[in-house]
Amino acid sequence: QIFAVSRQLWELRGSNYILLQNPPSVPILPLAVLFRVTGCKIIIDWPNLGYSILQMKFGSFYHPFVLAYYIVEYFFAKFATYNLTVTKAMKDYLVKNFGLKASRCVVLYDRPASQFQPFPEELDRLHALQNEPFIKDFMPKDFDLNKGDKIFVTSTSFTPDEDIGVLIGALKIYENSCKKFDTNLPKIVCFITGKGPLKEKFVEKVKQEDWKQCKVNFVWLSSEDYPKLLRLCDYGVSLHTSSSGLDLPMKILDMLGSGLPVIASNYPVLEELLIHEVNGLKFLDRRELHEALIFAMKDSSIYTSLKKGALLESENRWNSSWETAMREIKLIN
């Protein structure tokens, strides 16, 4: 990696700026700093902190690998000409803890890619659900949009830091609520997309349950079909828990870009993107997620309100975010 990166940097000599993403910090960050001798300036994009991700693997900040990674980030970040952060909280952290100059740090919010768009109002969503090849076979015959039935979607890598069991547990509670307390609860179809090391465990767990009111589908979609699925759903669900507590889940951006209100696992910085009861709902555990499901399913006015907020957020796109940030650090006029 060191050889390949060094060769690439050498081929790029003469550049005015190099924009690199951190993490990964090793080996690119020290090499890029050395590359500054050619007169090239460095812009670091900070979607997260590398040492915090490594800390999740080793369990302690004081593990030698984690400490070494932290030192690399802390020391070499000071050589950057400018820094782009995905949240205000990330900027504040870098200024306070890494000693970076606030004037050289700017917030550049991630935005959804252009393929993530709301479902066109002039088209018939029910017709699309019944005819799109990638989804029609997963829809129950008694599913009825007119009765308030809803489609939920979440994406996951099936890793320990994103517990899909919280969602499955909440759906089980919803199922029991229907059996014991309210037989008129609308039906839920839930799509879980992605793959990863714990997928089979959860697939088996779902198969063991006797589902009546909920239907859980595990799907793996192409990059073309995933945006199509999002725009056909009613709600997105995010179980992302940040390693640093300073970044925002890209999946929420994609969902909001598709006009979906999002029910999300809460942590403080999420407030910069998702506002409770404006464009989504927040929860801390499976009980609160179940309460959010009941809230979202039973009150049609809540869905209308949240949908309006999500559609408003979907108008925020990459170009305006990029241009605002670049003007702030005076790289464009």
Side-chain angles (χ1 to χ4, degrees):
Q1 282 185 328
I2 292 172
F3 175 77
V5 171
S6 298
R7 184 175 61 184
Q8 183 65 58
L9 287 174
W10 180 249
E11 291 175 359
L12 293 171
R13 66 191 183 279
S15 302
N16 293 322
Y17 290 91
I18 278 196
L19 171 63
L20 60 94
Q21 189 179 75
N22 182 81
S25 310
V26 180
I28 181 62
L29 192 52
L31 292 174
V33 169
L34 287 174
F35 188 65
R36 285 201 62 176
V37 300
T38 67
C40 181
K41 297 176 181 178
I42 299 174
I43 304 174
I44 301 179
D45 172 34
W46 297 82
N48 207 340
L49 297 169
Y51 84 85
S52 69
I53 296 173
L54 201 62
Q55 185 177 339
M56 290 185 67
K57 179 178 180 179
F58 291 106
S60 170
F61 173 75
Y62 297 101
H63 188 283
F65 286 169
V66 180
L67 276 173
Y69 212 102
Y70 174 82
I71 291 169
V72 168
E73 282 188 299
Y74 177 87
F75 178 75
F76 288 101
K78 298 179 186 298
F79 292 90
T81 312
Y82 299 109
N83 296 274
L84 309 176
T85 67
V86 290
T87 62
K88 293 176 183 176
M90 177 74 79
K91 174 181 176 178
D92 293 342
Y93 177 90
L94 293 175
V95 170
K96 181 180 178 180
N97 295 78
F98 280 25
L100 304 186
K101 292 182 179 180
S103 60
R104 294 186 176 272
C105 297
V106 61
V107 179
L108 173 61
Y109 286 113
D110 280 327
R111 295 301 178 195
S114 58
Q115 64 264 38
F116 294 98
Q117 299 285 343
F119 189 80
E121 292 183 4
E122 66 273 14
L123 299 183
D124 185 346
R125 188 161 72 104
L126 180 59
H127 180 268
L129 289 171
Q130 294 172 340
N131 291 277
E132 282 284 2
F134 70 92
I135 193 175
K136 64 179 183 178
D137 293 336
F138 294 104
M139 299 302 298
K141 293 180 179 179
D142 58 350
F143 183 86
D144 191 345
L145 290 173
N146 296 322
K147 291 182 178 180
D149 296 347
K150 295 282 190 294
I151 308 172
F152 288 72
V153 62
T154 188
S155 60
T156 177
S157 53
F158 293 97
T159 50
D161 62 317
E162 193 173 49
D163 188 3
I164 200 72
V166 172
L167 174 58
I168 294 172
L171 290 173
K172 285 171 60 178
I173 300 172
Y174 184 89
E175 187 85 24
N176 290 332
S177 297
C178 182
K179 292 176 182 177
K180 296 179 180 179
F181 307 112
D182 189 352
T183 56
N184 294 319
L185 281 175
K187 288 181 169 55
I188 291 177
V189 173
C190 181
F191 287 92
I192 300 176
T193 75
K195 58 183 178 181
L198 301 177
K199 181 174 181 178
E200 289 306 314
K201 169 188 170 183
F202 289 112
V203 170
E204 289 302 316
K205 190 173 182 179
V206 166
K207 285 181 179 178
Q208 292 170 7
E209 298 296 325
D210 182 25
W211 301 98
K212 301 294 184 185
Q213 208 67 9
C214 302
K215 186 174 189 294
V216 182
N217 300 306
F218 292 90
V219 294
W220 173 249
L221 300 174
S222 68
S223 57
E224 292 80 18
D225 286 340
Y226 179 62
K228 292 179 183 178
L229 173 64
L230 289 191
R231 69 174 66 108
L232 288 171
C233 294
D234 296 288
Y235 283 99
V237 178
S238 171
L239 299 162
H240 175 87
T241 53
S242 170
S243 64
S244 64
L246 301 171
D247 68 315
L248 296 170
M250 197 64 212
K251 72 184 69 180
I252 293 184
L253 289 159
D254 295 339
M255 291 167 179
L256 290 174
S258 303
L260 298 188
V262 180
I263 302 175
S265 180
N266 192 25
Y267 55 97
V269 75
L270 196 61
E271 192 70 22
E272 293 189 33
L273 175 64
L274 196 72
I275 302 174
H276 189 66
E277 295 187 16
V278 174
N279 55 6
L281 302 171
K282 299 175 183 177
F283 66 91
L284 292 174
D285 53 33
R286 68 183 62 191
R287 283 284 172 187
E288 287 194 9
L289 176 53
H290 165 252
E291 291 170 5
L293 292 179
I294 295 288
F295 195 42
M297 295 295 290
K298 291 196 69 173
D299 193 337
S300 59
S301 64
I302 287 295
Y303 176 72
T304 302
S305 174
L306 295 179
K307 182 71 174 179
K308 182 179 178 181
L311 288 171
L312 190 64
E313 180 64 31
S314 73
E315 296 174 5
N316 292 320
R317 291 291 163 171
W318 171 255
N319 284 350
S320 60
S321 186
W322 171 262
E323 289 172 5
T324 299
M326 293 302 101
R327 287 193 182 97
E328 188 173 336
I329 54 178
K330 298 180 174 57
L331 286 188
I332 62 173
N333 297 319

